Amino acid sequence: MDSVKELIQFMQPKQRLDLKAVALTHVLGLTGSSDGKAAILSLDDMLMAIFGLTFDENQTVAKDAVLTLINLTAEEEGALKIFALAKQIQPTFAIVDIASKQICDEQAGLADAWSMVLSNLTRCESLVPEILNQLEATLPQLAKAFAKLDYNKKNCKLHYLAPIFCNLTQVSRGRELCCHARYQLLEKLLPFASFEENVVRRGGTIGILKNVCFDSVYHDIILNEGDNILVAILQPLCGPEEFNDEDNDKLPIELQYLPETKTRETDPDLRKMLLECLLQLCATRRTREILRAKGVYEILREYHKWEAKLGRDSECLLACENVVDILIKKEDEIGLDNYKTIEVSAEQSEKFVQEDAAYVKSLLD
Amino acid sequence: MEELAASKNWTEEERLELAAKLDAELDAFIDGLEKKRYEEGWPEDRWQEEMDKHPFFMKRAPQPGDEVHPMFEGLQKLKYDPEENTREELALNYKEDGNFYMKHKKFRMAVYSFTEGIKSKCENQDVLAVLYNNRSAAHYFIKNYRSSLSDAQRALFYKPDYTKARWRAAQCAHELDKFDVCTQLCEELLEVDIDHKEAKALLHKNKMKKLEVERNQRKELAEARRRASRLQKLKDAVEQRSIKFDDQRLNKKLDITEELLRPKFLPLEDYPVHLDEADGSTLIWPAAFSYPEFLFSDFQQQLPETATMLDCLQTLFAEPLPCDKNQEYRVGNVNVYYENRKVGCVHKVDMTKTLRELMDEKSFFVSGGSLLFYIVPKDSRVEQEFIHQPRRPMVYS
């Protein structure tokens, strides 16, 4: 512990470069273990030193400092501590502000690293409202940086902006800002639900979709004439199969005549999330009718065949069947307008969960 | 005089006298001037003509080729002479002209004026930007979208925050189906003013158009693929049956093309041989049935290879032939032949064989993309004439 304390003096901005670098490297190494992390998190002075070094002229030192922050914020405890401390100290270390400025800076070499810090911080739901306040003004710029693939000229890919946005949508204000028609943020983010090249970007975007779908307030926006969101959900589930003319005409235009090279989402967890989105959208009668009209059943029919034969994930199959079951029924069979208003007792729900588990096992041979 | 005026006290009489004296002196002077006729005025009888020529009073602008009034020429020089104006003044003058033409919807003249303004090479970037922007507008109204876009973009080059030019560029890009350019420009507009309603609407419209174009491309591609696959299956089926075509030499490797399979008989044109869609394995052929007696032919557009000649005849004779006065052409009363054009002889058809089996016979060739058969009454003179008709074998050039 004391040895760690001793390092603090070497991590001051005015120190010799080699001393700073070595001390920081050591600290970075410590963050690899949970003991090391705990030790560092307990030393406010150490944390302040790290904050300071993120501005160091020497790029390696600065980078190591930010990497250290990434590791320290990886878990909730560390993230909360760092965020609180950064606010408390004099002068304040405006960590959110700094991160977002770096991300928006086309010439920033550390943009990716800072985005990971921000991603870690936003994962803590309790911190999101405050972070959202600080980020609100720069959201359009962040969306632009995200949407433009070669935005950063120093080779930073900014993929972690996707989980950042996803985390922000954990709270309703975040969802509100994302879906706000004026800023059209969602429009910019949506295409990346099918971004094959990077799973972080893709997964983050799908996470956004899921958070938005779970809030029924947004179902109207989702199923407006625009089709954007529905297409973003369905596209990863579509394959190269051809539909007959009648079915084809129902589909949204982006999903018609997909080329024979079209592949489906490879990660089963992501597939499941998409299906859960669709399930959420089946809640009310109006939205169910829209889904049927857009050919969602036909798409899932083909998807189910593929999942059974090639995807082979039983939870996905179950998730798919849940949606199909609802879409197949006629409205008078369903009889009620909003699934979410039904009351299910605790023992009933436990029974359902067990039945599902047993069923899932039987799905694949 | 002044001393007089200062020192003397004038009486009324003396004043009057002086005034009269001055008047007389003036009259004398005037009379002394050379008398000249006023010649510069307009002749009375042609005053309207002259008025039309005068730059202040003309009702019609001088057209190219007209004689120009010297005063007009002078005014022109004043306005357009590079020596009289700085480059910027010149540019602005042309700009005014252009704007004037725009107001009166003379867009081509406006383009010309703005072009002259641009040629003045003035150094003021704002002026240049306006000239390009205005010329872009002129081009836009005469639907020269390419030129309009190019000019709007030049305007943006000289003045990057020129919203009007950017908006016009976006509209041009949309007209030209340059979807990505249009999207980029609309987004730039929205960055400056997030509530730019038209940009939002255009962004949406542009996206819809792009999606449609892409969908149509995909559809075409899918159909082309389907056509190619159908053709390949057809080729395979034909090759598999070793079908012979008399359009090509025997020992040359047969190149089965759509052209080879295209029926050359007009009534069969739209029915080339194809695979039955239902079972995917039966070939369906177009066929011509010729009646040497009547010198006319009947056509069956879609005969499955599984049909026998008997089946065909039953269809052909379902109703009696109008020219068959003696009712000779009935099933059981006719023979059917096919011709081997390469060798120049005919072969009798076994009625119970399927078309496929017939085509398998050594001498059977598909001719002009179709099957050709000849029908004659059994044991008749017509039949004899037909069989012994001189035929020359086909010669290949």
Side-chain angles (χ1 to χ4, degrees), chain B residues 98-293:
Chain B
N99 288 351
F100 178 78
Y101 287 124
M102 291 290 284
K103 242 195 264 201
H104 294 266
K105 302 207 194 309
K106 304 269 185 245
F107 299 120
R108 287 183 204 280
M109 288 302 296
V111 169
Y112 171 75
S113 293
F114 293 131
T115 306
E116 289 298 309
I118 291 167
K119 281 185 353 195
S120 69
K121 291 200 197 305
C122 93
E123 275 144 19
N124 185 328
Q125 308 241 334
D126 279 339
V127 173
L128 272 176
V130 173
L131 281 168
Y132 276 111
N133 175 62
N134 292 6
R135 194 171 75 172
S136 161
H139 276 307
Y140 191 83
F141 287 114
I142 38 182
K143 302 196 195 305
N144 290 349
Y145 296 122
R146 226 174 273 280
S147 308
S148 181
L149 176 60
S150 157
D151 279 345
Q153 284 173 323
R154 289 238 78 194
L156 284 173
F157 170 74
Y158 289 112
K159 190 166 184 282
D161 58 351
Y162 207 160
T163 305
K164 239 195 228 166
R166 188 168 273 114
W167 172 234
R168 185 162 308 106
Q171 289 173 292
C172 290
H174 177 74
E175 296 288 338
L176 294 168
D177 280 356
K178 287 182 182 251
F179 304 116
D180 294 332
V181 174
C182 181
T183 306
Q184 166 92 356
L185 290 165
C186 285
E187 286 185 347
E188 286 170 8
L189 283 166
L190 287 169
E191 252 179 63
V192 166
D193 171 16
I194 191 124
D195 292 313
H196 195 306
K197 254 196 348 242
E198 293 92 0
K200 261 201 195 135
L202 187 61
L203 194 58
H204 181 78
K205 200 164 143 203
N206 176 65
K207 181 172 172 200
M208 290 296 116
K209 204 176 179 196
K210 178 178 179 191
L211 289 180
E212 239 194 88
V213 165
E214 287 178 344
R215 188 272 312 265
N216 292 343
Q217 281 174 346
R218 289 198 302 265
K219 187 172 179 184
E220 285 236 7
L221 217 61
E223 282 181 5
R225 245 191 8 242
R226 228 172 314 163
R227 268 200 308 269
S229 146
R230 248 202 321 259
L231 183 61
Q232 187 55 45
K233 285 207 187 80
L234 182 60
K235 278 170 81 164
D236 290 341
V238 169
E239 275 177 359
Q240 188 194 30
R241 291 159 178 66
S242 307
I243 293 178
K244 306 173 286 299
F245 296 81
D246 66 11
D247 304 69
Q248 284 197 336
R249 287 178 177 281
L250 243 182
N251 27 5
K252 197 163 165 232
K253 168 92 168 58
L254 193 58
D255 188 19
I256 300 173
T257 60
E258 278 190 319
E259 181 56 28
L260 183 68
L261 301 175
R262 195 171 59 82
K264 306 295 187 287
F265 296 105
L266 199 55
L268 298 176
E269 227 177 27
D270 294 330
Y271 296 90
V273 60
H274 58 274
L275 279 166
D276 186 355
E277 282 188 24
D279 65 13
S281 58
T282 309
L283 279 179
I284 308 226
W285 290 92
F289 293 89
S290 181
Y291 297 92
E293 180 172 356

Side-chain angles (χ1 to χ4, degrees), chain A residues 52-319:
Chain A
L53 288 180
T54 57
F55 294 126
D56 201 278
E57 290 174 341
N58 179 291
Q59 274 296 79
T60 318
V61 169
K63 182 164 175 201
D64 280 351
V66 185
L67 290 179
T68 313
L69 282 180
I70 294 177
N71 289 351
L72 291 172
T73 51
E75 265 131 51
E76 182 158 359
E77 196 191 317
L80 290 171
K81 166 86 193 194
I82 299 249
F83 188 78
L85 184 66
K87 249 194 329 183
Q88 231 177 311
I89 57 178
Q90 291 297 339
T92 339
F93 184 66
I95 193 168
V96 173
D97 213 38
I98 293 169
S100 86
K101 279 214 178 63
Q102 287 278 311
I103 296 171
C104 293
D105 181 351
E106 293 179 11
Q107 299 291 335
L110 294 176
D112 267 346
W114 278 109
S115 67
M116 289 189 223
V117 173
L118 201 48
S119 170
N120 284 350
L121 289 175
T122 49
R123 199 175 305 121
C124 306
E125 205 176 321
S126 53
L127 295 181
V128 174
E130 211 176 319
I131 297 181
L132 200 47
N133 281 337
Q134 293 177 37
L135 277 184
E136 194 172 326
T138 52
L139 278 180
Q141 189 62 13
L142 289 172
K144 180 181 174 188
F146 181 67
K148 191 163 173 225
L149 285 176
D150 57 354
Y151 180 85
N152 184 288
K153 311 297 180 226
K154 296 284 171 83
N155 237 333
C156 287
K157 302 295 180 195
L158 300 179
H159 294 318
Y160 276 86
L161 271 172
I164 291 176
F165 284 119
C166 175
N167 292 344
L168 292 176
T169 53
Q170 284 176 100
V171 302
S172 73
R173 176 125 184 88
R175 292 193 285 272
E176 197 186 320
L177 287 170
C178 256
C179 295
H180 202 299
R182 191 160 175 251
Y183 298 112
Q184 309 225 306
L185 285 180
L186 211 46
E187 295 252 344
K188 296 207 172 80
L189 306 175
L190 287 177
F192 295 100
S194 300
F195 189 70
E196 286 179 16
E197 288 86 342
N198 182 281
V199 72
V200 170
R201 198 176 263 254
R202 209 164 69 234
T205 313
I206 294 181
I208 299 175
L209 286 172
K210 183 171 142 222
N211 286 349
V212 170
C213 285
F214 267 78
D215 188 340
S216 41
V217 167
Y218 295 102
H219 287 184
D220 274 338
I221 296 185
I222 293 169
L223 294 173
N224 65 13
E225 355 149 328
D227 277 359
N228 290 327
I229 304 183
L230 191 59
V231 168
I233 298 175
L234 290 173
Q235 186 137 34
L237 297 172
C238 285
E241 297 87 11
E242 285 183 14
F243 294 95
N244 66 37
D245 285 341
E246 196 189 316
D247 290 341
N248 222 334
D249 286 339
K250 280 165 141 188
L251 299 177
I253 200 174
E254 290 98 320
L255 302 178
Q256 293 181 8
Y257 301 106
L258 291 174
E260 47 187 7
T261 50
K262 176 78 177 60
T263 51
R264 290 183 160 88
E265 169 59 60
T266 45
D267 185 322
D269 287 331
L270 294 179
R271 290 201 296 272
K272 198 163 86 152
M273 276 213 282
L274 291 167
L275 292 164
E276 284 169 358
C277 288
L278 288 174
L279 189 60
Q280 287 300 311
L281 291 176
C282 288
T284 63
R285 178 187 185 138
R286 183 176 158 266
T287 55
R288 286 195 290 272
E289 289 177 341
I290 295 179
L291 290 178
R292 285 190 198 105
K294 300 272 179 189
V296 173
Y297 166 71
E298 284 79 6
I299 292 177
L300 290 180
R301 185 188 63 204
E302 299 303 314
Y303 164 76
H304 192 276
K305 288 186 207 155
W306 175 87
E307 184 69 61
K309 200 162 130 213
L310 293 171
R312 303 198 51 88
D313 183 295
S314 34
E315 299 205 354
C316 289
L317 278 174
L318 176 62

